[in-house]
């Protein structure tokens, strides 16, 4: 399975940016540090796997380090603490920037039989010197593969499990626990200790962690441990898995701080909210203006051509409140609607706050309180925002109905019939004036057709 560390780091950073001040500062700083370290490690040598030997005083950690290195590089003895600074055994070239990032100054270049491995001997994590413990913990946070060396006397130490192993529960794939000094035990005792250690590791949540019995003095179990390190160096997956686990752990911690997320559908506007905003925005007035303007336009398109021009003198309700055409810059647009009364605005603000409270019910407190606070702040400019919303709406953009055109054409036809009838009567009148014989006039049910055309044209028009 391919792990895209860059995408995961970016996703966590985006979540932290979104959480902003709703996340405790300490938790946010820890998560951001993980993101930074993951990116830093990703930019360093991918050819090397950093395996850190960590352990308590007297666990034989330095002896195991020497045995794995095949040389006496670390000082192992009765003086405590033995290791004050980390020591590195390096197989392969090009690890200098990586070691600089780890702040490991004591380095030994090893023969190239095992390439791509950086083996660290850390200071004792229970050292009486605080500075030593800090160095050890810092490297535990940055190593790719963690090898915890314990001894039969202190393998069940609560400090080891509670402070170090349990917080690494998600890192089982990159964790090895070595029960050292088994040569001091009988076969039965060694088996019992090993079984108990496996139980404790499982209880710590380290799924997939490998537990081996070893002896730095006799070499027992070291071949298996050495093979694990060589395999990790060859696959070059430990670093990716380690930082993927760190990012997952940090993301989980952030999620816990913020509380469970809500997967319900977004709350729909309530009738009370819609009604409150409509009154505050002057929607009833706008609706009346749209109706009046529509009728005015309809009369202009379908009225009797002889009198429709009089409609131009009738005021346009939409133009009167500044809504006939949208403004070139909607953000600056304003209407001429009457200002909402304080009572109406107060009711609208209350409806907004109540809606925000209902919409955020069940959300984590940090998110709900912030959303409600922002909703309350936004209501201060509610009147202006509503007016701008109305002003930016194209209220006269509706397509003209087809029947307008049909009726308009019919009106002109009727007017044409009226004109023809008038002209016909005028011709008859002229002929009669000059006492000329008139042509026969068609009739319909004993009514002259020209007269019917004039009367019908006026009535129908």
């Amino acid at each position: 399975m391919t792990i895209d560390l860059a995408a995961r780091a970016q996703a966590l950073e985006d979540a932290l940016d979104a959480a902003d001040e709703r996340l405790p500062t300490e938790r946010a700083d820890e998560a951001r540090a993980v993101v930074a370290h993951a990116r830093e490690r990703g930019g360093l040598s991918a050819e090397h796997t950093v395996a850190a030997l960590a352990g308590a005083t007297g666990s034989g950690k330095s002896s195991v380090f020497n045995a794995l290195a095949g040389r006496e590089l670390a000082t192992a003895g009765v003086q405590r603490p033995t290791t004050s600074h980390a020591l590195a055994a390096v197989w392969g070239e090009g690890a200098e920037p990586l070691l600089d990032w780890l702040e490991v100054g004591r380095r030994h270049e090893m023969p190239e039989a095992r390439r791509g491995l950086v083996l660290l001997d850390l200071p004792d994590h229970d050292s009486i010197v605080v500075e030593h413990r800090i160095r050890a913990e810092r490297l535990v946070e940055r190593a790719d593969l963690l090898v915890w060396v314990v001894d039969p006397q202190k393998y069940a130490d609560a400090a080891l499990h509670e402070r170090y192993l349990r917080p690494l529960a998600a890192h089982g794939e990159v964790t090895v626990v070595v029960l050292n000094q088994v040569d001091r035990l009988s076969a039965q005792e060694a088996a019992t200790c090993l079984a108990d250690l496996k139980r404790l590791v499982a209880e710590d949540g380290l799924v997939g962690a490998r537990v081996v019995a070893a002896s730095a003095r006799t070499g027992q179990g070291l071949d298996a441990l050495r093979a694990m390190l060589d395999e990790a160096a060859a696959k070059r997956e430990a670093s990716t898995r380690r930082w993927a686990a760190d990012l997952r752990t940090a993301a989980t911690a952030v999620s816990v701080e913020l509380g469970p997320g809500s997967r319900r559908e977004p709350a729909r506007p309530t009738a009370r909210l819609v009604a409150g905003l409509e009154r505050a925005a002057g929607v009833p007035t706008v609706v009346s203006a749209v109706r009046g303007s529509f009728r005015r336009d309809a009369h202009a398109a379908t009225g009797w051509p002889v009198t429709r021009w009089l409609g131009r003198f009738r005021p346009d309700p939409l133009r009167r409140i500044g809504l006939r055409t949208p403004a070139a810059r909607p953000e600056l647009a304003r209407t001429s609607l009457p200002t909402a009364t304080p009572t109406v605005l107060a009711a609208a603000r209350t409806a907004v706050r109540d809606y925000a409270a209902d919409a955020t019910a069940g959300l984590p407190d940090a998110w709900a309180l912030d959303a409600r606070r922002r909703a309350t702040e936004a209501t201060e400019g509610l009147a202006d925002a509503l007016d701008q919303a109305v002003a930016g709406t194209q209220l006269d953009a509706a397509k003209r109905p087809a029947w307008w055109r049909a009726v308009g054409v019919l009106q002109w036809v009727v007017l044409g019939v009226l004109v023809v009838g008038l002209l016909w009567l005028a011709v008859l009148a002229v002929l009669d004036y000059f006492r000329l014989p008139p042509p026969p006039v068609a009739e319909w049910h004993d009514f002259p057709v020209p007269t019917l055309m004039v009367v019908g044209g006026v009535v129908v028009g």
Side-chain angles (χ1 to χ4, degrees):
M1 178 182 64
T2 302
I3 299 175
D4 190 344
L5 279 184
R8 294 191 183 190
Q10 186 61 51
L12 178 55
E13 187 173 52
D14 291 344
L16 293 171
D17 292 339
D20 197 21
E21 298 179 356
R22 292 176 284 269
L23 189 67
T25 302
E26 181 180 1
R27 184 66 68 196
D29 291 344
E30 291 174 355
R32 291 191 186 278
V34 170
V35 171
H37 291 163
R39 287 173 173 166
E40 290 168 358
R41 179 63 181 94
L44 297 169
S45 176
E47 305 294 322
H48 290 84
T49 298
V50 180
L53 298 182
T57 303
S59 63
K61 167 175 50 63
S62 295
S63 297
V64 173
F65 176 83
N66 290 334
L68 293 173
R71 298 183 184 182
E72 292 293 324
L73 301 178
T75 302
V78 295
Q79 183 182 357
R80 298 290 182 266
T82 300
T83 307
S84 59
H85 291 78
L87 174 64
V90 184
W91 286 268
E93 299 177 351
E96 288 76 14
L98 177 58
L99 290 168
D100 291 341
W101 178 66
L102 294 170
E103 297 183 8
V104 177
R106 301 169 63 201
R107 312 168 185 179
H108 291 274
E109 298 291 337
M110 306 302 292
E112 296 188 4
R114 297 158 60 191
R115 295 181 58 83
L117 178 65
V118 175
L119 187 64
L120 302 180
D121 181 23
L122 306 188
D124 301 334
H125 66 69
D126 63 347
S127 174
I128 59 175
V129 182
V130 175
E131 185 180 357
H132 296 180
R133 295 202 303 271
I134 293 175
R135 289 173 187 159
E137 291 172 359
R138 183 180 181 279
L139 288 169
V140 165
E141 292 177 353
R142 299 193 175 197
D144 302 329
L145 184 64
L146 299 171
V147 181
W148 295 91
V149 181
V150 299
D151 61 85
Q153 287 75 35
K154 294 189 291 184
Y155 73 86
D157 183 36
L160 168 67
H161 292 273
E162 294 176 4
R163 184 172 182 179
Y164 295 101
L165 296 185
R166 289 179 188 172
L168 294 171
H171 298 68
E173 292 183 336
V174 291
T175 300
V176 180
V177 182
V178 179
L179 178 62
N180 191 28
Q181 302 174 1
V182 293
D183 56 298
R184 299 181 181 181
L185 305 175
S186 65
Q188 181 60 39
E189 290 172 337
T192 301
C193 285
L194 186 63
D196 193 41
L197 178 58
K198 289 181 178 180
R199 177 186 62 81
L200 292 173
V201 170
E203 290 179 355
D204 291 334
L206 286 162
V207 179
R210 289 155 290 184
V211 181
V212 294
S215 171
R217 188 172 68 85
T218 66
Q220 177 185 348
L222 292 184
D223 288 341
L225 179 57
R226 194 175 290 112
M228 292 179 189
L229 297 178
D230 291 342
E231 181 184 7
K235 288 185 175 182
R236 301 173 185 171
E237 295 178 350
S239 175
T240 301
R241 294 185 182 278
R242 162 62 201 264
W243 291 106
D246 272 12
L247 290 170
R248 184 166 56 252
T249 301
T252 301
V254 169
S255 178
V256 169
E257 288 287 352
L258 295 176
S262 174
R263 294 186 178 276
R264 64 183 180 179
E265 290 295 322
R268 295 183 178 182
T270 62
R272 179 185 176 189
L273 174 64
V274 173
L277 295 179
E278 283 181 348
R279 286 193 297 272
V283 169
T285 301
V286 174
V287 170
S288 177
V290 170
R291 182 183 295 110
S293 183
F294 187 87
R295 288 177 174 172
R296 179 180 180 275
D297 292 345
H299 181 269
T302 65
W304 196 30
V306 177
T307 59
R308 71 172 58 173
W309 61 275
L310 296 174
R312 297 177 183 177
F313 298 100
R314 183 187 303 173
D316 183 354
L318 277 180
R319 193 180 301 278
R320 187 168 50 192
I321 60 176
L323 295 175
R324 186 57 181 179
T325 56
R329 298 183 61 183
E331 68 275 9
L332 300 179
R334 293 296 182 272
T335 72
S336 300
L337 288 168
T339 303
T341 65
T343 302
V344 171
L345 284 177
R349 293 191 181 103
T350 301
V352 170
R353 289 193 293 268
D354 291 347
Y355 170 73
D358 292 340
T360 56
L363 292 179
D365 289 344
W367 294 91
L369 292 175
D370 186 66
R372 295 171 190 176
R373 175 182 61 79
R374 295 193 182 199
T376 300
E377 292 175 353
T379 59
E380 296 303 319
L382 184 61
D384 189 61
L386 289 172
D387 188 73
Q388 186 175 339
V390 173
T393 303
Q394 294 187 4
L395 299 176
D396 61 342
K399 185 178 180 181
R400 291 194 168 198
W403 66 268
W404 283 16
R405 179 179 297 275
V407 173
V409 171
L410 179 61
Q411 286 280 33
W412 281 106
V413 171
V414 171
L415 181 62
V417 171
L418 170 63
V419 171
V420 170
L422 288 174
L423 291 175
W424 194 342
L425 290 177
V427 169
L428 293 177
V430 169
L431 292 175
D432 182 65
Y433 178 78
F434 288 102
R435 300 185 180 278
L436 297 175
V441 178
E443 294 184 352
W444 185 75
H445 292 287
D446 298 330
F447 287 97
V449 170
T451 304
L452 286 175
M453 294 175 67
V454 172
V455 174
V458 172
V459 173
V460 174

